[in-house]
Every structure is written in C-alpha cells, then in structure tokens.
Amino acid sequence: MPSEPIQKLLILQEKDRVRIDLEALLHSIPREIAANREKIAREEERAREAKEAVTQLEKRRNALEGDIEAWNAKIIRYRNQQLEVKKNEEYQALEHEIEAARSAISGLEDEEIQVLVDIDTGQAELESAEQTFRKSIAVLEERIAKLQTREKECREELAAAAREVESARAEAPSEFLEVYDRLLRHVPFPVAVPLREKKCQGCHLKVSAGVESDARQGKEIATCDSCGRLLYCE
Ligand SMILES: [Zn+2]
C-alpha cells in the first residue's frame, strides 16, 4: 500500500484527471459544432445549386420560345412580302427565306424538347435533394443542440472538478505537490505512476536501485531516472 502522502497525491491526481478530461472535451466541442455548421453550409450550397440548375433551364426554354416566335413572325412577314412582289425570282428568294426560317424553327423545337425533358429530370432531382436536405439539416441541427447542451454541462462539471482539485491539493503534502506540479507541466499525464518489477509504469524503463528503494520505503520522493515521474509501490 502506498504511503499516506502518496495516497493523498493519488487522490489529487484522480481529481486532476477528471479536470483534464473535461478541459479536453470543452476544447473539442466548439470544433465539432463548427464542423457540423460547415456541413449545413455545404448542404445549403448543394440545394442552391440544384435550384439554380432548374432556373437556368427554364430561362433557356423561355429564350427558345422567344426565338421560335421571332422566326414565326418573320415567316408571316415573308408571306406578306410574297403577295406584293412582282418577279418570280423575288418570290422564290422569299420562299427560300421561309424554308430557312422553318428549318431554324425545327432545330429550336428539337432543342426545346430536350430542355423540357431536362427540366423534368432537374425538378425531380431538386425535390429529392430538398427532401434529403431537410432531413440532414434536421439531424445536424439536433447534433449541434446536443453539443451545446453538453458544452454547458461540461462547464458546470469543470467548475465542480476544479473545486475538488483545490480541496485535494489542500490535503496533499506540499513537498510532493511541488514535484507534482512541475511534472504536470512537463510530462504527459499521469505524472505519479506505480513501480512494477523495477519498471516505471509511465515510460516502462527500469529504474536504479536507489530509486527503487526510495519508492519502496515511501518516505523520500522517488522519481524515475528516465522520465522523471513520481514513483510509488503498490
Ligand atoms: Zn519513467
């Protein structure tokens, strides 16, 4: 069984462990929230793009209809001109123009059919995208709300943990505390570790005979020759 000072230090270390874990969690939560917000922004962008694609197709259809109308108006004009011309060559030239206009209209109508098909496909895609969008946004929003609640709880838990650390520190022997605090700044947690089979359980290296004897007696502060952690015997 470890000596009394070590026992008190181990109590402090356990309190510090809770505090450190909570601090890490509090550090990670805002990043998680930000990542979820980014996902929402990406989903919104995708939905906007799907909508924009349909809008562009509708614009194209309107433009095509305008063009077809213009060609039809030309055909009427040519027909009227044909009534007025005297020479056969002039009549034939207009007939030629009318044929060209009809061929142009036919090409535009073919394109319009394709655009109408694309609009149908685009609209179906948009509807499905919007459904997925609403679902995933709901999931993401819920996740964010949970994280925010957890963050609030964490802050309260951390305040309580800090108070526990303070009372454990008041109990811990000051000479051990000094070494412990220094280690806390320089060595990865935990800083007080057991000695098993002459090996430090922090860095897993063998310690010297003197250190082993100190750790066994538990009166002097024993620290690992390699990593510097506080050592104790169970
Ligand atoms: Zn060590």
Side-chain angles (χ1 to χ4, degrees):
M1 200 170 165
S3 65
E4 210 196 318
I6 285 288
Q7 281 183 40
K8 285 185 169 157
L9 201 67
L10 291 177
I11 291 172
L12 168 62
Q13 180 161 266
E14 278 320 298
K15 306 288 181 194
D16 265 327
R17 186 194 297 278
V18 174
R19 175 186 61 81
I20 288 166
D21 286 350
L22 282 167
E23 279 171 352
L25 198 56
L26 263 176
H27 191 69
S28 71
I29 288 175
R31 279 196 305 222
E32 263 185 73
I33 290 176
N36 280 299
R37 286 206 202 290
E38 260 172 51
K39 276 184 200 160
I40 288 179
R42 277 202 295 275
E43 291 287 343
E44 281 170 346
E45 182 59 26
R46 243 202 298 274
R48 253 200 307 277
E49 277 171 5
K51 212 173 199 164
E52 180 59 21
V54 173
T55 307
Q56 287 304 325
L57 284 167
E58 277 167 352
K59 272 189 192 164
R60 182 66 194 140
R61 188 193 56 187
N62 290 341
L64 286 167
E65 276 181 357
D67 288 350
I68 291 169
E69 232 171 80
W71 280 113
N72 277 321
K74 272 186 193 171
I75 291 175
I76 291 170
R77 212 166 56 238
Y78 295 145
R79 285 267 177 254
N80 288 334
Q81 283 171 2
Q82 275 180 331
L83 298 175
E84 286 161 18
V85 294
K86 308 258 170 354
K87 290 181 189 159
N88 190 39
E89 304 90 81
E90 286 172 340
Y91 187 91
Q92 285 308 321
L94 285 164
E95 197 59 39
H96 193 74
E97 291 293 339
I98 289 167
E99 274 314 303
R102 278 197 183 129
S103 153
I105 289 171
S106 160
L108 291 170
E109 279 172 348
D110 285 348
E111 197 189 330
E112 195 184 15
I113 289 168
Q114 188 51 52
V115 170
L116 286 171
V117 170
D118 290 347
I119 287 175
D120 275 350
T121 316
Q123 240 146 12
E125 273 170 15
L126 179 60
E127 268 164 42
S128 121
E130 276 176 343
Q131 258 182 10
T132 320
F133 168 74
R134 273 192 295 273
K135 266 186 222 157
S136 53
I137 294 293
V139 170
L140 291 166
E141 297 278 15
E142 196 188 322
R143 217 177 280 167
I144 289 175
K146 272 186 189 157
L147 284 165
Q148 282 167 335
T149 308
R150 186 73 194 107
E151 191 176 19
K152 200 167 157 260
E153 287 167 357
C154 259
R155 283 194 199 291
E156 284 159 16
E157 284 167 24
L158 181 60
R163 283 194 296 273
E164 296 237 352
V165 167
E166 274 321 301
S167 46
R169 286 181 71 85
E171 294 288 316
S174 56
E175 69 274 23
F176 278 81
L177 211 51
E178 211 174 289
V179 180
Y180 176 84
D181 283 342
R182 182 161 37 83
L183 287 169
L184 214 52
R185 286 192 295 273
H186 302 295
V187 180
F189 204 79
V191 298
V193 294
L195 185 68
R196 284 179 201 148
E197 288 161 358
K198 296 179 184 174
K199 277 183 189 163
C200 158
Q201 292 304 299
C203 67
H204 300 282
L205 293 174
K206 236 177 185 164
V207 299
S208 64
V211 170
E212 196 217 346
S213 145
D214 283 346
R216 202 164 294 288
Q217 283 163 23
K219 285 176 196 149
E220 300 292 324
I221 296 175
T223 55
C224 171
D225 308 291
S226 308
C227 69
R229 283 186 178 86
L230 266 161
L231 295 170
Y232 63 89
C233 285
E234 294 159 308

